[in-house]
Amino acid sequence: MAVQNGRPAGVRRRQPSLAQLRAFAAVAEHLHFRDAAAAIGMSQPALSGAVSALEEALGVTLVERTTRKVLLSPAGERIAVRARAVLDEVGALVEEAEAVRAPFTGVLRLGVIPTVAPYLLPTLLRLVHETYPDLDLQVHEEQTSSLVEGVMAGRLDLLLLAVPLGVPGLAEIPLFDEDFVLVTPLDHWLGGREGIPREALRELHLLLLDEGHCLRDQALDICREAGRDDVPVTTTAAGLSTLVQLVAGGLGVTLLPRTAVAVETSRSAQLLTGYFAEPAPSRRVAFAMRSGAARSAEYRELATALRRALAGLPVRVL
């Protein structure tokens, strides 16, 4: 039988245990078996046996025992550094697991669509700061398709977006409904009116966001519900701020969710806001997560707290 390093070839050494590493690290720190045993709460014979077992497992002498003191061998000095690093990493692993077990701690990667982020994030961030100070909230603003792909792949944990998504494997936690309003130039015949019938959308030059934004699809759905199947698209915008400025410049009208009105229309004095007759066209905003997500109870509690925090916004909390 072939022999390598004093043992039969193919026979692996036993792996050292954490208890053995902890015992040796204590001896390396105190250079005294009695003091080391007291420091880690072991009996002296048990500590001595653990160090001997570690030496046997590694196949090297780690300590030189004399009647008066303990010395580390050259190998022991090098391995003591490694042992301490291993124990530190194990401690960090345990701390991380404890943080994950504790609610509202650790990292939460939140994906938000652009037509929600600027208007809802101030409320959400204030809630997290005041109520969940140990939660590391990381925000990613992306379009709906990218967010859905991210949460399904595990890149994101929780989404804040318009629903329904109709995606298998995703669970939705409804937060609120909000109406759409009509934003027009100052001289538009519907500017500032209330009780606007949806049918009025059949004749309007409607400005839309670029393809990929769910708000564009929602606006087109509203037009179809009003009996308009063909919406000519001659000008689009990448964001609501640009869209509203196009309206102020007289290029057409657009639909805005109520949460966006105060922010976007305050940037120009050339705009008026019109309100639809009941039931007004609306959208639903929700959290979305992977079905069976480990932190689902935590996300539902966050949703409950967020609903309470939305009291000052022009929405219908669910």
Side-chain angles (χ1 to χ4, degrees):
M1 179 181 293
V3 176
Q4 295 179 353
N5 298 324
R7 66 181 186 276
V11 178
R12 299 179 59 185
R13 291 191 183 277
R14 289 176 296 170
Q15 294 292 312
S17 69
L18 289 177
Q20 292 167 359
L21 293 176
R22 193 172 292 110
F24 173 60
V27 170
E29 179 181 353
H30 294 278
L31 295 178
H32 196 288
F33 275 90
R34 185 181 63 236
D35 293 346
I40 63 174
M42 291 181 71
S43 69
Q44 187 171 334
L47 179 117
S48 179
V51 172
S52 297
L54 179 62
E55 290 177 318
E56 182 179 351
L58 297 177
V60 294
T61 298
L62 300 175
V63 296
E64 298 176 1
R65 301 165 175 81
T66 70
T67 56
R68 301 182 60 182
K69 59 182 178 180
V70 174
L71 298 175
L72 296 182
S73 69
E77 291 178 352
R78 295 174 59 183
I79 290 174
V81 175
R82 297 276 189 176
R84 175 48 56 195
V86 169
L87 293 171
D88 288 344
E89 285 299 315
V90 170
L93 182 150
V94 172
E95 290 177 1
E96 184 70 20
E98 290 175 347
V100 171
R101 282 201 308 273
F104 300 107
T105 59
V107 175
L108 173 56
R109 299 164 298 178
L110 176 71
V112 191
I113 55 174
T115 59
V116 165
Y119 322 113
L120 202 61
L121 279 181
T123 300
L124 177 59
L125 294 177
R126 184 167 54 251
L127 169 67
V128 170
H129 177 73
E130 294 175 354
T131 310
Y132 312 113
D134 295 324
L135 184 64
D136 181 8
L137 183 65
Q138 299 178 358
V139 178
H140 303 260
E141 184 184 66
E142 302 169 22
Q143 293 184 6
T144 298
S145 59
S146 178
L147 293 179
V148 170
E149 179 183 351
V151 76
M152 296 304 289
R155 176 174 61 85
L156 299 172
D157 303 310
L158 185 66
L159 306 182
L160 178 58
L161 72 181
V163 296
L165 297 171
V167 177
L170 281 186
E172 299 171 3
I173 309 174
L175 296 170
F176 62 86
D177 290 337
E178 64 174 329
D179 292 340
F180 284 102
V181 300
L182 186 69
V183 179
T184 72
L186 286 178
D187 58 355
H188 197 276
W189 66 282
L190 287 175
R193 286 185 52 181
E194 295 188 8
I196 299 172
R198 292 195 192 197
E199 290 73 20
L201 291 170
R202 298 174 185 173
E203 310 300 327
L204 300 179
H205 181 57
L206 193 64
L207 301 178
L208 301 172
L209 291 174
D210 293 338
E211 291 188 8
H213 288 277
C214 62
L215 190 58
R216 173 194 175 98
D217 297 332
Q218 291 160 355
L220 292 173
D221 287 342
I222 292 169
C223 288
R224 282 190 284 268
E225 291 171 2
R228 181 178 182 178
D229 293 326
D230 181 26
V231 181
V233 179
T234 58
T235 303
T236 62
L240 290 183
S241 296
T242 301
L243 196 63
V244 169
Q245 293 307 311
L246 294 176
V247 173
L251 295 187
V253 301
T254 196
L255 296 172
L256 280 188
R258 284 288 300 272
T259 52
V261 171
V263 173
E264 300 302 343
T265 60
S266 65
R267 296 171 178 167
S268 174
Q270 305 302 310
L271 298 167
L272 288 174
T273 302
Y275 298 88
F276 289 95
E278 296 293 339
S282 64
R283 72 172 179 175
R284 175 161 294 182
V285 174
F287 281 145
M289 60 183 174
R290 292 181 296 276
S291 298
R295 302 173 72 179
S296 60
E298 189 175 333
Y299 300 153
R300 294 185 186 280
E301 183 177 340
L302 178 61
T304 298
L306 181 56
R307 292 188 194 101
R308 290 195 296 266
L310 294 174
L313 295 182
V315 301
R316 295 185 297 278
V317 176
L318 299 172

